Amino acid sequence: MKRILSHLFMLLLSMHAIAQNFTPASYLGYEIGERFTRQDKVVSYFHALQTAFPTTIKVEKYGESYEHRDLILAFIGTPENLKKLEEIRLDHIKHASHEKLAIVWLSYNVHGNESSGTEAAMQTAYRLLTDKSDYLKNTVVIMDPCLNPDGRDRYVNFYQQYGNAPADLMKFAAEHKEPWPSGRPNHYLFDLNRDWAWMTQIESEQRVKRYNQWLPHVHVDFHEQGINEPYYFPPAAEPYHEVITNWQRDFQKEIGASHASYFDQQGWLYFSKEIFDLLYPSYGDTYPTYNGSIGMTYEQGGSGRAGLSVITQVGDTLSLKDRVAHHVTTGLSTVEMSAKNAEKLVKEYQTFCANKNYKYQTFVVRGSQAKLEPLMSLMQKNGIQVEMVSTSTQEVSVKAYHYQNGQNETVKLMFGDLLIHTRQEKGTLVNVFFEPKTKLSDSLTYDITAWTLPYAYGLEAWACESSSLKGTIFSGWPSTVTNVIPSTPCYAYLAPWESMKSARFLSDLQTAGITVYFNEKGFKSDKQNYSAGTLIILRGENKRADFDKVVTKIANENAVQLGTVASGFMQEGIDLGSSSVKKIPLASIGILMGEETSSLNVGELWHYFERQMGRSVHLVFAEDLEEALGQLSVIFVPEGGISISENTKVKEWIQNGGKLIVMGYAVNDFAGKEGFDITRIDAPTDSLAKHVSYSKLERDQISNNIIGAIYACDLDPTNPLAFGYDAYYTLRQSSEHFELGSSKVFQLKKNAKADNGFVGYRVKKQQSDASIAGYQSYGAGAIIYFIDNPLFRGFWENGKLMVANAVFFVNE
């Protein structure tokens, strides 16, 4: 026993010695702020902290980035609290009456080139474990040192390659000029700070899953802004969403006052109450706020321009050490204020979760299973409880607001309807996601002003003031699709074209070498109606022994229900040998990229094909386009300033059968030029801005803008570009009015009014009859124009099928 006690004593002495001797510099080999630290070393640093301070920090891997870098969380607390983390978590989630600890979550480097964040995380963790450990008596701190390691390492690698020694302070130096696409986005070039709610990216999905297991009282998202900006901290700017509580507003002010006191002592500049508002729900401050947290953004001057050191416009030198010091100060101040106010934070969070008295108590959502599934997936990722009207549920009628016609009407619940209530733990988030009209306390906002999910997902919906509607808790769809090989060989398999499942099914068939056709006109067989766009898989065109096995297997993998016909002769409508039945070519798809393109739009396209369609695409730098033309049948021109409309070889390529798909404001390159069937309609002179004073200039300018507003479209359902649609709502981000010629397939209504979102008063009338999407024949090929981006941030679900239509169905 004496020997065991002696060993334990020696072990404790050894651990104490490790803790006493550990410093960031002793482990890293440099002081934090002297260099940039790559993600692998950041991860190993936090594990080294755990070794040095085993009773007060616990490090967990919660996932990997697309490029297989570790995503980690560090839990920091007293030895007593760290031993019972799960108990603390459950007490918090269950709103236990004896809960007393404030849970603080600190998130760093969601934008990869805002590089001081991760360095500050390392220093903040060390300080909490050493001289600021008293803050941990009333708190548990959860730290995510790098939300976007792929983007951050992209930036760090750039700087390590081009950075001078010593650092070049001049802004024109190479080390201050990141190349396209910069380190800001993740692997697929998405802005992860706009992806918290939608979770289109793997980093977001894994992180928010863990976040929703804890739902902290306080969440801070550490950022950087331009090099000439001082530090920003709360309180946030208006507009605040109306669901934000007085307590959430007030505590932001208290936090800000605490930060200000520390900055005043050092003579550091800062500002608050400007620019960064609390409205759009998918930010690192708003998403936590709508889940009951005190959600905040902190912004340090620097970003990708600052490097290790740079001279600002006023002649000051801004160093990485300065930037780290500022972030460490606000981070520690946040934990300190949370510790001092732990009891109040716990009480107010529990009150937030208990009080869900919103105007609309239930949202009724209706659509086919294929269209409901993506929405249901989003609800599950967000921890939102959904009920379904089932056969065991009494069907009732109720008064409700109908999203599609803007009227209050009587709706009768139907089997399969989804019921989403605001009186639940996540009720505030439900209200924000589904509110028919977003209330703006101020129209000067930082991001889009509308995101209403029934419009985004192409679903019919009603908002009901009653909470009495009941269904059964959703636990899965009533039945799964199981196609079996028919006992008698069929003439053809048929599959409806209705959602991204249909598009993925088609893509998988083509990858497997199966030839697929589609019909431009409807037909009827065995009392079953088949709409235009139905996929037709003909046995006679696929002479292979495993034909039935391959088709049914791929259909089952994609949950697509197959129909069969015994003959090509149809009961009504066209026969399967009609010229209206067309072969779908196997497209070789290219996406232009480079300095003149929007990295965000490139990423939306890249992710759409690789991750959602399961289809390989070619990323082509603009300077390599002519070399690539002969190998491509479809080329996407992303948003941006790239100009190819006068490229003779590109024109010849289209005329010989190529398909050019132009996205967003890239259509400006084609508008009004000879041979292109698109025209820009300038605003009438009486809508132009009048002279205003300098102080009112910024606010006056928004009268010429549309800030992410939702509009209903008229469409031509007989056109291949519109197959699978019976209605479409577009998310409009520009007030520019374009008109297409003969094939304007999607356009705004005459005298169009936004269903939700801000539209400047000078441009409201200008939206009447504006084209949204269409195409023109160009020789043997086609040019498709997507004037409004149908893939916006990867969450505008109902736009995705339109892009598939352009690739697969639009031929000439």
Side-chain angles (χ1 to χ4, degrees), residues 656-675:
N656 290 328
K659 191 184 300 183
L660 195 71
I661 303 177
V662 188
M663 306 290 291
Y665 50 86
V667 303
N668 274 292
D669 181 40
F670 297 81
K673 294 183 179 178
E674 185 178 354

Side-chain angles (χ1 to χ4, degrees), residues 36 120 129 138 165 177 193 224 274 283 321 324 351 370 419 454 499 653 684 754 810:
F36 291 113
L129 294 168
N138 294 325
K177 300 286 186 178
N193 192 41
E224 289 187 285
E274 296 180 69
Y283 281 123
K321 283 189 174 182
V324 169
T351 300
L419 306 177
S499 70
W653 173 82
V810 175

